[in-house]
Amino acid sequence: MIRPAKITTVLPDSIAEEIGFEPGDAIISINGQQPRDLIDYQFLCADEILELEVLDRFGKTHELEIEKDYDQDLGLEFESALFDGLIQCNNRCPFCFIDQQPPGKRETLYLKDDDYRLSFLYGSYLTLTNLSQREWDRIAQLRLSPLYVSVHATEPEVRIRLLKNPRGGQILDQLKWFKKNRLQIHAQVVVCPGINDGQHLEQTLLDLAQFHRGRIPTVASVAVVPVGLTRFRPPEDELIPVTPEKAQEIITQVQNLQQKFQQELGSTCVWIADELFLIAGAELPPESHYQDYPQIGNGVGSIRKFIKEFEQTVRQHPIQSCSIPRQFTWVVGNAVEKAFQPLLNSLNDISGLTVNLVALASQYWGQEITVTGLLTGQDLLQGLKGKPLGDGILLPSVMLKQGEPVFLDDMTVAELAEQLETEIFPVSNVEELISIALKN
């Protein structure tokens, strides 16, 4: 069922503000069509003349006519990008992170998103196993490209085993469909030792590389990432973690293929997630390796990019001293402890500033090696309670729900600050990190 598109924000100095839209109003139809989602809304609003049916926040219906420039935005933001509801996953992947969480948390943590619209709008990954012909036709008609696809394996029997879905075996035919329609995807391969590694991983990457040809390659990029396991996962899932030895094996295997693809295709094509280097205890590739960071959202090159931005900021704005002595605790996942050591040294070279790096593993998830984004409020409480924390905690905002000060375990930043009896400063980038550390 398509619900009216409920408005949450009216942007200042916009057409919508001028007309008198307010948060709580909702759009029923545009030029006689009821938008299914943000994609429809944007497509319909491109016209110069719009006839809107609007439901105001008091439940009264209005009809409006708007004349504007072609492609001029109305200046509205909505409660959800999907007005007809989420297309949920129909797979039973044993490595699904949603199934590896404890019960009783916020409802949104258990929604299994496999929606091509969120993939197009926000870069979330989908499997393509739940699309009707109507949705395939819409992808082609609206040119929804690129999409982000969890491939995992191209051999039908291996992918079916991973997704627990017979439709999973259609991936190569689906890639041919994308090629025929001149549409692109970014692919990911989550490596599960004993299932899709070794010769299966090589076959998958060779198959995907065949679609990385031409002026507009069908497969724009591929990320190879390690399976992430928690203590809450089902006992019958047949999965084993990626050990340092296995991580190094995968790195060597993929780097050999990268050289082959560079020679044959003129592009690396396949990228290795930072996490594999961290697990293996290996050095990250140089910044030049990542080209234009096509898989940055998948953790490919994000650490190297952060280090580069940090070094550039320090170089462009050299700071010799802090006028008022300050001391902070910078909390990160223990996976990045080694990589961040040079940054820590740079901060502590500033006279009057002391930053203590606390690198934690997640007891909550039961992981020995943990990336920063998976640390929970409980992990921080357990790891920091009773320790001297100085003037506060520098908290990477990647630990928090987007747009809200809430950890993955539902603890809020305010609750943690109260229990630790200190101030917490969420930081989302290098500029914020340095600015807060030096603020007088």
Side-chain angles (χ1 to χ4, degrees):
M1 183 183 73
I2 303 177
R3 302 182 302 273
K6 188 174 181 180
I7 297 164
T8 55
T9 305
V10 180
L11 299 180
D13 302 318
S14 64
I15 294 174
E17 184 184 56
E18 183 181 339
I19 290 172
F21 276 100
E22 295 183 2
D25 296 342
I27 293 178
I28 298 173
S29 67
I30 304 170
N31 292 342
Q33 294 189 50
Q34 201 171 357
R36 292 177 54 187
D37 46 43
L38 194 57
I39 297 169
D40 273 354
Y41 167 79
Q42 293 170 344
F43 181 77
L44 292 169
C45 281
D47 286 348
E48 294 176 328
I49 298 177
L50 305 179
E51 294 181 357
L52 303 182
E53 185 179 3
V54 179
L55 182 69
D56 70 25
R57 56 199 179 105
F58 302 109
K60 186 177 180 180
T61 302
H62 305 264
E63 292 185 358
L64 306 173
E65 183 173 301
I66 299 173
E67 188 171 346
K68 63 178 187 61
D69 293 336
Y70 181 75
D71 266 353
Q72 185 179 7
D73 186 55
L74 294 183
L76 295 173
E77 294 180 355
F78 299 94
E79 185 176 52
S80 169
L82 309 176
F83 313 146
D84 61 353
L86 180 72
I87 299 176
Q88 294 209 44
C89 183
N90 62 351
N91 307 307
R92 292 178 292 109
C93 307
F95 51 85
C96 177
F97 191 78
I98 292 172
D99 292 334
Q100 296 190 63
Q101 299 180 99
K105 301 303 175 184
R106 61 180 181 272
E107 185 179 345
T108 54
L109 289 176
Y110 304 103
L111 290 176
K112 292 191 176 184
D113 158 31
D114 203 15
D115 198 309
Y116 70 95
R117 299 167 298 177
L118 297 183
S119 183
F120 173 69
L121 290 168
Y122 306 121
S124 59
Y125 277 84
L126 76 160
T127 62
L128 304 172
T129 60
N130 61 357
L131 298 180
S132 65
Q133 188 58 49
R134 176 194 177 200
E135 307 299 357
W136 282 107
D137 292 343
R138 187 177 186 229
I139 291 170
Q141 179 187 5
L142 297 182
R143 312 298 299 163
L144 302 184
S145 175
L147 297 183
Y148 295 76
V149 179
S150 292
V151 173
H152 307 322
T154 52
E155 296 167 280
E157 65 279 7
V158 179
R159 194 166 191 258
I160 289 170
R161 180 184 175 187
L162 283 166
L163 303 188
K164 301 290 190 290
N165 186 338
R167 296 184 71 180
Q170 301 171 3
I171 186 63
L172 287 176
D173 288 336
Q174 290 165 341
L175 290 177
K176 291 174 184 175
W177 181 90
F178 278 94
K179 182 178 181 180
K180 178 183 176 182
N181 286 277
R182 300 193 307 279
L183 300 172
Q184 287 188 300
I185 73 158
H186 292 279
Q188 75 167 355
V189 177
V190 174
V191 180
C192 302
I195 302 178
N196 65 338
D197 58 342
Q199 64 182 26
H200 300 300
L201 176 60
E202 180 160 348
Q203 186 62 55
T204 295
L205 299 183
L206 289 172
D207 286 342
L208 291 174
Q210 290 303 309
F211 290 91
H212 188 72
R213 300 176 183 275
R215 187 173 64 86
I216 303 177
T218 302
V219 175
S221 69
V222 184
V224 177
V225 304
V227 64
L229 304 178
T230 82
R231 65 187 175 92
F232 302 107
R233 72 182 195 270
E236 69 282 357
D237 65 9
E238 68 179 338
L239 297 177
I240 56 176
V242 174
T243 62
E245 295 75 22
K246 173 57 72 172
Q248 186 57 61
E249 176 190 314
I250 295 168
I251 290 169
T252 301
Q253 181 181 17
V254 176
Q255 285 179 334
N256 289 336
L257 287 170
Q258 285 176 328
Q259 294 179 9
K260 171 184 170 68
F261 298 149
Q262 188 67 48
Q263 292 171 357
E264 295 180 359
L265 306 173
S267 169
T268 301
C269 179
V270 177
W271 310 85
I272 304 169
D274 295 358
E275 193 176 350
L276 278 165
F277 290 99
L278 299 176
I279 293 172
E283 289 293 326
L284 292 166
E287 192 270 333
S288 60
H289 167 78
Y290 294 102
Q291 297 178 10
D292 60 349
Y293 293 95
Q295 288 276 357
I296 189 75
N298 223 336
V300 177
S302 56
I303 295 175
R304 180 60 70 194
K305 190 170 187 286
F306 184 87
I307 292 172
K308 177 189 175 183
E309 290 173 354
F310 184 95
E311 291 172 345
Q312 284 180 337
T313 301
V314 170
R315 189 164 53 249
Q316 292 169 2
H317 307 285
I319 302 163
Q320 303 300 323
S321 64
C322 187
S323 58
I324 299 175
R326 295 171 69 79
Q327 181 174 342
F328 290 96
T329 299
W330 184 14
V331 185
V332 297
N334 65 346
V336 300
E337 181 176 16
K338 179 181 176 182
F340 278 14
Q341 198 61 48
L343 312 188
L344 181 69
N345 294 339
S346 292
L347 289 171
N348 285 321
D349 282 343
I350 299 172
S351 177
L353 178 64
T354 302
V355 178
N356 298 313
L357 187 71
V358 177
L360 300 175
S362 177
Q363 303 301 316
Y364 181 86
W365 299 115
Q367 296 176 331
E368 292 183 12
I369 300 175
T370 306
V371 294
T372 302
L374 286 182
L375 288 177
T376 66
Q378 292 180 47
D379 290 324
L380 269 64
L381 181 61
Q382 184 175 347
L384 301 177
K385 187 73 171 178
K387 293 185 177 180
L389 301 174
D391 295 303
I393 297 170
L394 300 173
L395 181 81
S397 58
V398 70
M399 298 182 199
L400 306 175
K401 181 182 178 183
Q402 189 170 10
E404 294 183 34
V406 181
F407 293 93
L408 281 172
D409 59 357
D410 280 344
M411 184 182 290
T412 67
V413 171
E415 289 169 344
L416 179 63
E418 183 179 358
Q419 293 192 60
L420 291 177
E421 299 180 345
T422 192
E423 198 166 356
I424 295 179
F425 303 94
V427 293
S428 57
N429 53 48
V430 173
E431 293 280 359
E432 285 188 7
L433 176 71
I434 296 177
S435 174
I436 291 171
L438 298 176
K439 186 176 180 181
N440 294 323

